[in-house]
Amino acid sequence: MVTHLPSPSSAAMQIIAFLTALFFAHLAHADQVTAALDKNVVSENEIVQLTIRTDFTNTGNGPDLSALKRDFEILSRSQNSQFSFNLGTNQALNFWVVTLMPKAVGNFQIPPIQVGEKASDPLYIEVKPAQQMTDRNGNPLVMLKFHASTLEPYVQQQVLLTLELYTAVPLQNPSMSNPNHPNLLTERLIDDQMRYEDIDGTSYQVITREYVAFPQRSGTIELNNQSIEAIVNTRNGSRKINIKSLPITLNALPIPASYGNSNWLPTGAVAVRSMVSNTVSNPRIGDTLIWEIDITAQGVLGEQLPTLNFASTRAYKLYPTSPTYETNKSINGVSGHEAMRIEVVPTQAGPLELPIVEVTYWDPISRSIKTARANAKVIDIAPLPNGAVDSNNTQQQSTETSNTPNNGSTEIPPQSTSVAPISLAKPKAKSAPIPEGIEEPTDLNVVLTPNNESGSSWKVILATLMLGVGVAGIGAWLWMRRKTNSDTNPKGEVPTLEEFAPLTSGNEDAAYQQLLQSCRGNDLSTLRLRLLEWARHRWGDNAIRGVDDIKRLSDSPHLTQLLMEAELVMYSSSASSQWHGDALADALEEYVTGQPKPSQASQLKTLYPNF
């Protein structure tokens, strides 16, 4: 028997192979982070699980998942740990299972996940569009429709936004989005309405949700597609769905330049009622009548309705109370209502005819200016009865007559609510002339002869003297007061604008620069004062009484539109910081210099929130 001993070269090779195996075994157990997905291709709204494993103990706070939040929604996260011992060595294994939901369709990378000082390799996943869930008829189980009543509304015109949810299966934990936009004032109308509808053999439960919206700026308004998220039970288990509607684009139109009325009222229907009621059966001069005015408009808020002012005349005096406003909601949108109550005191006998009530508005359908009118019935006013004299108000009437200038005007200023209704007294008759040949009668002297009771006569004399002194004092006070009023304003004229509010700037250029500074600085609080300051320099105090005179005298439709939009914000309850005056400044520069200048469209935000 011959025994073959290994050669020195073969023994060295075996040693090298053994050491190499030990080295690679050590590498296999080196610290590392491993990440894996349960599937690399998923459908939209489908859940995917990410598993992260480490084989070292120092894991810190666990895996950093912040990089996943950009493309995935993290639904849940769990952790598990294992320990193994083998031939005197130990190994710690940590597992994290993260449930993810892709946010969009496409190819995405799951970046390296950091655990402690180690990180995993990146992973890749493909998200395909989800196949719509259909029934046996091929109809979708869930649909969401989104539409608007008009796609080209005017600024502050009502727009009805409707969301209709069609469901053929029960939904669990539904969550529906709400339409919103920074340039759109949106409000929920009424509670959801439900009905049933059959479409191509599939019975749907339809839930309708209505919104009312008012564009606050002209231009394009993009409304994103609305969505609803819910869980649906299928044959393969529960499934989360996310159904989206089509988006809507609104093109908000600016206030037409041809609309000359300062009160912008975009509506398709206005109803006006004017009615006079008698407080007595046969009204006479001095009696009080009640004039009631009701204005109702569809698609506008109560606060958008105009406040009407009527002046007293020589035939009657008016004493209005503050109007009341209401806003009502229905499935057809909102409707505004204004109620006015005015006390009317006739001052002349004969037919009493009150002014026509007129409300001007803009019809968005015909795109034209319209006016709603109403007349109150004519009431016959009887004269005062013969010999009836109101002694309590005779002095008041004579004072009013002496202070009223005789200028032939048929109107007098409106009376405030604090002024008491007047009461007319029959004028004192003039004495008839004495015929010739008859002597003028002399004054009748009456001599009072005191009685014999001398003890009480001095009391009567003392009382008479005290009464005379009191009457003389009151008369002197009334004379001094009347003289003071006469000296202050001898002709009863109203102070001019120059006397009431003197100019603060030296010339038109200085006032113009101050006006541009207010516009460029978006300072709405000083805009009106500086507008009037500049206009008074340019056209004179006699021609300027308000901003409406600037619109008329400038004869610039573009400038008029920007001034009207500025007034919408100036007199609204919303924050004035929303106003930007660059467009108005550019328009003023174009008007003053006569040179065209590119400018941005003026778009202003007005709040009628209080509905």
Side-chain angles (χ1 to χ4, degrees):
M1 179 177 178
V2 180
T3 303
H4 297 281
L5 296 175
S7 63
S9 60
S10 61
M13 293 297 295
Q14 291 178 1
I15 293 173
I16 292 173
F18 178 73
L19 293 176
T20 302
L22 290 178
F23 175 76
F24 281 104
H26 174 73
L27 290 180
H29 293 284
D31 296 347
Q32 61 181 352
V33 178
T34 304
L37 293 170
D38 64 340
K39 43 195 169 184
N40 298 103
V41 179
V42 296
S43 299
E44 185 182 11
N45 300 324
E46 186 176 354
I47 293 174
V48 61
Q49 287 188 344
L50 171 65
T51 302
I52 304 169
R53 191 193 75 173
T54 63
D55 52 9
F56 52 89
T57 57
N58 187 17
T59 59
N61 296 325
D64 182 8
L65 305 178
S66 58
L68 297 174
K69 296 180 180 180
R70 186 187 68 176
D71 299 323
F72 299 90
E73 180 182 355
I74 301 176
L75 301 180
S76 63
R77 168 181 168 175
S78 61
Q79 181 182 2
N80 186 22
S81 300
Q82 296 180 3
F83 296 92
S84 62
F85 300 92
N86 186 16
L87 299 177
T89 62
N90 56 52
Q91 185 179 15
L93 298 178
N94 295 287
F95 297 90
W96 290 269
V97 179
V98 183
T99 304
L100 303 175
M101 170 78 74
K103 292 183 178 180
V105 176
N107 295 316
F108 302 95
Q109 180 194 68
I110 295 181
I113 305 299
Q114 188 80 23
V115 181
E117 297 180 354
K118 303 294 181 179
S120 66
D121 295 330
L123 301 174
Y124 298 90
I125 185 172
E126 179 183 1
V127 182
K128 295 182 177 181
Q131 295 182 353
Q132 193 171 21
M133 299 176 60
T134 59
D135 59 4
R136 58 185 180 182
N137 298 324
N139 298 323
L141 297 180
V142 182
M143 296 185 297
L144 185 62
K145 297 182 180 180
F146 183 36
H147 53 85
S149 59
T150 177
L151 298 179
E152 285 193 346
Y154 285 89
V155 173
Q156 296 185 356
Q157 178 189 343
Q158 171 186 268
V159 180
L160 296 180
L161 301 177
T162 305
L163 275 173
E164 291 183 321
L165 175 62
Y166 291 75
T167 60
V169 292
L171 302 180
Q172 298 180 12
N173 301 326
S175 176
M176 187 183 299
S177 62
N178 297 318
N180 61 80
H181 193 276
N183 295 336
L184 204 65
L185 179 64
T186 309
E187 181 74 15
R188 179 87 172 268
L189 265 181
I190 57 176
D191 295 337
D192 294 343
Q193 305 294 311
M194 186 179 64
R195 71 178 191 275
Y196 292 92
E197 185 176 341
D198 290 334
I199 301 177
D200 297 333
T202 301
S203 178
Y204 289 96
Q205 181 189 63
V206 184
I207 298 177
T208 303
R209 182 170 294 181
E210 295 282 355
Y211 296 86
V212 60
F214 296 90
Q216 301 302 298
R217 295 191 181 190
S218 58
T220 302
I221 299 177
E222 298 285 350
L223 288 174
N224 296 329
N225 44 15
Q226 303 302 301
S227 63
I228 180 170
E229 293 183 355
I231 297 178
V232 176
N233 292 326
T234 63
R235 298 177 182 177
N236 299 325
S238 299
R239 176 179 174 182
K240 184 178 182 180
I241 62 172
N242 188 338
I243 307 299
K244 296 182 179 181
S245 68
L246 296 177
I248 290 178
T249 301
L250 301 179
N251 181 25
L253 304 177
I255 299 175
S258 60
Y259 189 82
N261 195 334
S262 59
N263 189 88
W264 171 243
L265 191 64
T267 177
V270 175
V272 181
R273 185 177 68 92
S274 177
M275 183 181 64
V276 177
S277 58
N278 303 342
T279 57
V280 294
S281 57
N282 296 316
R284 296 179 177 179
I285 296 176
D287 290 339
T288 301
L289 308 178
I290 304 300
W291 184 16
E292 295 179 338
I293 300 174
D294 288 331
I295 304 173
T296 304
Q298 298 295 328
V300 298
L301 307 177
E303 290 76 6
Q304 291 179 264
L305 296 175
T307 300
L308 304 179
N309 294 315
F310 301 97
S312 299
T313 67
R314 301 302 175 190
Y316 54 81
K317 286 194 175 181
L318 304 178
Y319 303 91
T321 59
S322 299
T324 59
Y325 303 94
E326 292 182 356
T327 299
N328 300 315
K329 297 180 182 180
S330 67
I331 195 171
N332 298 320
V334 299
S335 62
H337 178 258
E338 178 183 0
M340 298 180 61
R341 188 177 186 272
I342 303 174
E343 294 183 357
V344 182
V345 178
T347 57
Q348 289 182 1
L352 174 64
E353 186 174 356
L354 294 173
I356 300 175
V357 181
E358 295 184 348
V359 177
T360 302
Y361 63 97
W362 179 264
D363 188 349
I365 305 300
S366 62
R367 299 193 174 184
S368 61
I369 300 175
K370 294 186 178 180
T371 302
R373 298 180 177 87
N375 286 332
K377 66 178 181 179
V378 179
I379 297 180
D380 291 329
I381 303 300
L384 290 173
N386 294 332
V389 178
D390 190 348
S391 60
N392 295 330
N393 292 316
T394 301
Q395 184 177 1
Q396 177 184 357
Q397 180 194 4
S398 62
T399 303
E400 292 179 356
T401 304
S402 62
N403 292 335
T404 303
N406 186 12
N407 54 7
S409 174
T410 59
E411 291 190 357
I412 60 178
Q415 305 299 309
S416 64
T417 56
S418 61
V419 179
I422 64 171
S423 179
L424 297 182
K426 188 175 180 180
K428 187 175 182 181
K430 296 182 179 180
S431 58
I434 301 175
E436 296 182 358
I438 301 178
E439 295 183 357
E440 183 177 356
T442 59
D443 295 336
L444 180 62
N445 295 326
V446 179
V447 179
L448 299 178
T449 303
N451 54 16
N452 295 329
E453 297 179 0
S454 60
S456 60
S457 61
W458 67 273
K459 296 181 181 179
V460 175
I461 295 173
L462 180 60
T464 303
L465 290 175
M466 294 180 63
L467 179 61
V469 172
V471 172
I474 294 175
W477 176 78
L478 291 175
W479 179 80
M480 290 296 295
R481 181 178 180 184
R482 182 174 180 180
K483 186 175 184 301
T484 302
N485 294 336
S486 176
D487 294 339
T488 303
N489 194 3
K491 297 182 180 180
E493 296 177 351
V494 178
T496 62
L497 183 60
E498 183 177 6
E499 296 172 348
F500 180 74
L503 294 171
T504 59
S505 54
N507 51 44
E508 181 182 348
D509 291 337
Y512 175 65
Q513 294 301 325
Q514 292 179 357
L515 175 58
L516 290 182
Q517 183 180 2
S518 293
C519 294
R520 298 296 186 193
N522 303 325
D523 189 0
L524 191 62
S525 61
T526 62
L527 177 63
R528 181 180 179 85
L529 294 178
R530 293 186 175 176
L531 270 172
L532 295 177
E533 183 91 1
W534 168 72
R536 290 168 60 190
H537 275 295
R538 187 174 186 87
W539 289 291
D541 286 329
N542 295 330
I544 299 299
R545 290 294 182 269
V547 179
D548 289 338
D549 294 326
I550 302 177
K551 304 174 191 174
R552 173 177 54 83
L553 294 172
S554 64
D555 195 22
S556 171
H558 181 53
L559 183 59
T560 299
Q561 176 186 341
L562 293 175
L563 290 175
M564 293 173 63
E565 292 182 352
E567 287 180 307
L568 288 177
V569 179
M570 189 182 302
Y571 300 124
S572 68
S573 59
S574 62
S576 61
S577 59
Q578 302 290 337
W579 180 71
H580 301 283
D582 289 335
L584 180 56
D586 293 342
L588 288 168
E589 291 181 351
E590 288 184 358
Y591 176 76
V592 173
T593 61
Q595 300 295 328
K597 180 178 181 180
S599 62
Q600 297 179 353
S602 173
Q603 299 176 344
L604 301 171
K605 186 175 181 178
T606 304
L607 356 48
Y608 299 101
N610 47 348
F611 63 90

